[in-house]
Amino acid sequence: MARPVWSGALSLGLVTVPVELYPAVADHTIHFHQFERGTSDRIRNRRVNERTGDEVGQDEIVKGYDLGGGDHVLVEPDELDEIAPERSRRIDIEQFVELGDIDPWFFDKTYWLKPAKEDFAKAYGLLLQAMDRSEKAGIAKFVLRGKEYLAAIRAGEGVMVLNTLHFVADLRKPADVMGELPEVPKPRPKELDMALALVDEMTAPWKPEDYRDEYSKRVEELVKAKQAGKEITHEEEPEASADVVDLFEALSRSVKNRKKPAKQELAELSKADLEKLAREQGVKGRSKMTRAELEKALKAS
């Protein structure tokens, strides 16, 4: 079982519940060590004194704020803890908002919140059900690992979910990042209608389990192949199609390609294509169906 990354208290009015914070997302990134090419010599990162070259232990390191001109203000870790003693141990819900009112742009990381003590399970459950019934999120601020976070607390998966949010000051406007934006011409009505038709054709129920991290899978295959002394190849990416001057024609062809095949055409598709089509049309239980069952379900859809 994972260890909590933070423990303290969740507070709503006069109700206070000791809670523990657990990460809700696992990092499946494949990590590599660094080696000098042509050798078996490992490259390591170390904290060293730039004047003496001596390695410095973590306990001997303090933080320094750069004032410019080579001057710094040195700050001890304990001094940072002292300036926010309450907020570093409490999550105080300041208000509730409609969850749909929070733009996805603001969301950062997701955590689970659980009661730290069984004695507070009743109070925890009461707050959880109130959030679930209202479909609202509580907005709060708290300190985690020396940084203050804005957070949205809501009900989900039978527990409280805490999403850290970006502050407005952290968000960068498109023009600030990309500079001057090109003027977007107004589309012709028939082009917009065809684009909407393409969106409709590509619309399907959200099934997150249908999506996989293909790149990590390929990295694992590469590592296993090299370990076994084999070469590994993948299909080449298709060449980029030539520019289509007529946007309407391009959209029309896209819609035509997305259209459901006629009933008699299903027999010509491979089982993999049938499963893909079933996924796009939201057919349930498709992964366990035989080819005949897939064709029948698609004909009925």
Side-chain angles (χ1 to χ4, degrees):
M1 188 175 71
R3 298 176 58 184
V5 297
W6 182 93
S7 61
L10 174 66
S11 177
L12 174 58
L14 298 177
V15 180
T16 300
V17 181
V19 291
E20 295 175 337
L21 192 69
Y22 292 82
V25 179
D27 180 11
H28 290 105
T29 304
I30 297 176
H31 299 279
F32 292 92
H33 294 303
Q34 294 180 323
F35 289 82
E36 184 177 359
R37 181 178 284 109
T39 74
S40 58
D41 299 336
R42 177 92 174 267
I43 305 299
R44 297 182 183 274
N45 296 320
R46 291 176 176 163
R47 297 180 176 88
V48 298
N49 183 313
E50 66 175 16
R51 180 178 59 82
T52 65
D54 296 334
E55 190 169 353
V56 181
Q58 184 64 48
D59 293 342
E60 299 301 317
I61 297 177
V62 297
K63 297 180 181 292
Y65 181 82
D66 190 356
L67 297 174
D71 295 330
H72 293 79
V73 171
L74 301 183
V75 181
E76 294 285 347
D78 291 345
E79 293 176 308
L80 293 174
D81 292 337
E82 288 174 1
I83 62 175
E86 289 302 319
R87 191 161 283 164
S88 64
R89 298 179 182 87
R90 292 175 64 93
I91 301 174
D92 292 312
I93 295 178
E94 300 178 8
Q95 71 175 94
F96 281 89
V97 301
E98 296 288 346
L99 188 59
D101 288 346
I102 306 176
D103 192 294
W105 191 15
F106 284 87
F107 284 92
D108 186 15
K109 295 183 179 179
T110 306
Y111 297 89
W112 304 130
L113 271 175
K114 66 169 282 190
K117 298 178 181 179
E118 190 173 342
D119 296 345
F120 290 88
K122 182 177 180 179
Y124 176 91
L126 176 62
L127 296 180
L128 176 64
Q129 289 188 42
M131 291 179 184
D132 189 32
R133 291 276 188 93
S134 67
E135 297 184 349
K136 291 182 171 61
I139 303 300
K141 289 193 290 185
F142 76 112
V143 173
L144 171 65
R145 294 168 180 161
K147 179 180 177 181
E148 186 173 50
Y149 288 91
L150 184 64
I153 299 124
R154 57 189 173 85
E157 298 295 325
V159 297
M160 287 190 195
V161 184
L162 184 148
N163 290 102
T164 55
L165 306 174
H166 298 292
F167 288 100
V168 170
D170 297 332
L171 303 180
R172 304 172 71 184
K173 298 291 185 181
D176 295 337
V177 179
M178 299 180 288
E180 186 177 352
L181 302 177
E183 183 178 350
V184 179
K186 186 177 181 180
R188 292 181 293 172
K190 68 174 185 178
E191 292 174 343
L192 182 56
D193 289 342
M194 193 58 66
L196 291 171
L198 178 58
V199 171
D200 287 340
E201 284 296 330
M202 296 180 67
T203 299
W206 168 235
K207 302 288 184 180
E209 63 274 11
D210 289 341
Y211 298 88
R212 300 287 186 273
D213 182 355
E214 297 295 336
Y215 177 69
S216 292
K217 180 181 177 182
R218 288 190 174 193
V219 172
E220 290 176 354
E221 291 174 354
L222 172 64
V223 171
K224 289 179 181 178
K226 291 182 73 69
Q227 185 180 19
K230 300 176 183 178
E231 291 292 331
I232 186 170
T233 59
H234 287 285
E235 296 179 7
E236 294 183 4
E237 293 291 331
E239 294 184 6
S241 58
D243 291 340
V244 180
V245 177
D246 191 336
L247 181 58
F248 181 79
E249 174 62 20
L251 289 168
S252 299
R253 290 189 348 226
S254 298
V255 172
K256 182 179 179 181
N257 291 339
R258 296 290 306 189
K259 288 288 185 182
K260 299 176 184 178
K263 308 300 183 185
Q264 64 270 21
E265 294 176 352
L266 294 174
E268 301 174 5
L269 298 177
S270 66
K271 189 169 186 293
D273 288 336
L274 286 173
E275 290 177 345
K276 180 180 179 181
L277 187 60
R279 182 183 72 232
E280 292 172 350
Q281 296 185 22
V283 175
K284 296 181 179 179
R286 58 190 175 273
S287 60
K288 299 180 180 179
M289 290 183 180
T290 63
R291 180 187 180 87
E293 290 171 334
L294 281 168
E295 290 188 22
K296 183 178 179 180
L298 287 166
K299 289 177 182 178
S301 65

